[in-house]
Amino acid sequence: MTKPIINQSKPTSMKSLFSAVLAAGLAMSASVQANTEMLKVCAATDEMPYSNQQQQGFENELAQVLAKEMGRELQYEWLDKAAIFLVTEKLLKNECDVVMGVDSDDPRVATSNPYYKSGYAFIYPANEEVNIQSWQSDDLKSMNKFAVVPGSPSEVMLREIDKYEGNFNYTMSLIGFKSRRNQYVRYDPDMMVSEVVNGKADIAHLWAPEAARYVKSSPVPLKMVLSEAVAPTNDGEGVKQHFAQSIAVRTEDTALLKEINTALQEADSEIEAILKKEGVPLL
């Protein structure tokens, strides 16, 4: 009598089945991750309060919101120089695709719809009996030490009110009288605000988003009053004080720009919440 053929293979164990399912899941996860598009953002390694390599800046937070809204994975391309070099040394060399926080009318790039607008601001102790609302305020005339950044609209206006020459040595002392020839020297906003707190400066006039964090955390209550949109000058042209901020891409990246504009619109409330938490006065 012919014996029946018996299947000699071992039954699949639960452990083997679990391993197979896990392996399949990991493979699928790896496949999804591989297919996830990156949002490659250029950022400076040490340019607080905007960004740093620990991602503690408010532009770091905004980049995270943008990437999440676009369904992309955030990836940084870091630059060990000041943020003013991000466009020329990173974006235009195709080393990344996005730069956060550029002026909306920057001619070198294509810019997104503005995601916020702010301005330069007067910063002074809240307990002082002065009222400064503009460059024409009478109380400015009695002040002698102004913490301003050379080359900024603030410096132009110091010349207009005849305070530049008397303030020159103080301004240079803020960077230890370093020569600025052929090199960029950043005036740290935390230090500039501290000059007012410590009474070394009568007043500061700074780009408000750059100073807001330090005004908010100051041990001495400070006032931060936005300048007028255009400060009048003797030549009648005026000096612009308010600026809209956008995200920059290369001019040919039209599809990416469209995607960014859609994401900015969808994330509007999250963006505003981050800026308000930072203390940035919005226009």
Side-chain angles (χ1 to χ4, degrees), residues 40-59:
K40 295 182 69 177
V41 175
C42 318
T45 57
D46 185 18
E47 190 91 359
M48 292 298 281
Y50 303 114
S51 72
N52 66 7
Q53 218 156 359
Q54 293 73 43
Q55 301 184 37
Q56 296 169 321
F58 75 87
E59 293 286 12

Side-chain angles (χ1 to χ4, degrees), residues 19-38:
S19 298
V21 171
L22 179 61
L26 291 173
M28 182 177 295
S29 175
S31 175
V32 169
Q33 187 173 10
N35 292 328
T36 299
E37 287 189 84
M38 298 285 186

Side-chain angles (χ1 to χ4, degrees), residues 118-164:
S118 191
Y120 279 79
F122 297 102
I123 300 165
Y124 55 96
N127 61 358
E128 289 191 1
E129 295 183 4
V130 295
N131 180 24
I132 297 171
Q133 300 296 323
S134 73
W135 283 100
Q136 287 71 50
S137 296
D138 290 336
D139 286 327
L140 279 179
K141 297 176 182 177
S142 62
M143 295 182 174
N144 297 307
K145 289 188 177 180
F146 296 76
V148 303
V149 176
S152 68
S154 313
E155 183 184 69
V156 177
M157 291 309 300
L158 278 187
R159 294 179 185 273
E160 284 293 319
I161 65 171
D162 295 324
K163 292 289 184 178
Y164 175 78

Side-chain angles (χ1 to χ4, degrees), residues 171-246:
T171 300
M172 293 306 297
S173 75
L174 295 174
I175 54 168
F177 296 94
K178 293 177 184 175
S179 170
R180 295 176 62 238
R181 181 175 174 81
N182 296 325
Q183 86 180 72
Y184 171 78
V185 179
R186 184 174 189 242
Y187 283 68
D188 179 49
D190 189 9
M191 180 265 290
M192 301 287 270
V193 173
S194 294
E195 289 289 295
V196 177
V197 172
N198 297 331
K200 295 179 181 179
D202 298 319
I203 192 168
H205 191 258
L206 304 169
W207 172 236
E210 191 171 44
R213 175 175 299 198
Y214 310 115
V215 170
K216 186 177 179 180
S217 63
S218 168
V220 174
L222 299 174
K223 281 188 179 179
M224 183 162 60
V225 181
L226 286 177
S227 298
E228 60 270 61
V230 178
T233 54
N234 293 326
D235 59 12
E237 291 187 8
V239 177
K240 188 176 179 182
Q241 308 275 294
H242 295 176
F243 297 88
Q245 298 297 284
S246 294

Side-chain angles (χ1 to χ4, degrees), residues 35-39 65-74 259 263:
N35 292 328
T36 299
E37 287 189 84
M38 298 285 186
L39 182 67
V65 169
L66 181 66
K68 181 187 71 174
E69 194 63 49
M70 294 172 71
R72 295 186 180 221
E73 183 178 344
L74 178 60
E259 188 180 351

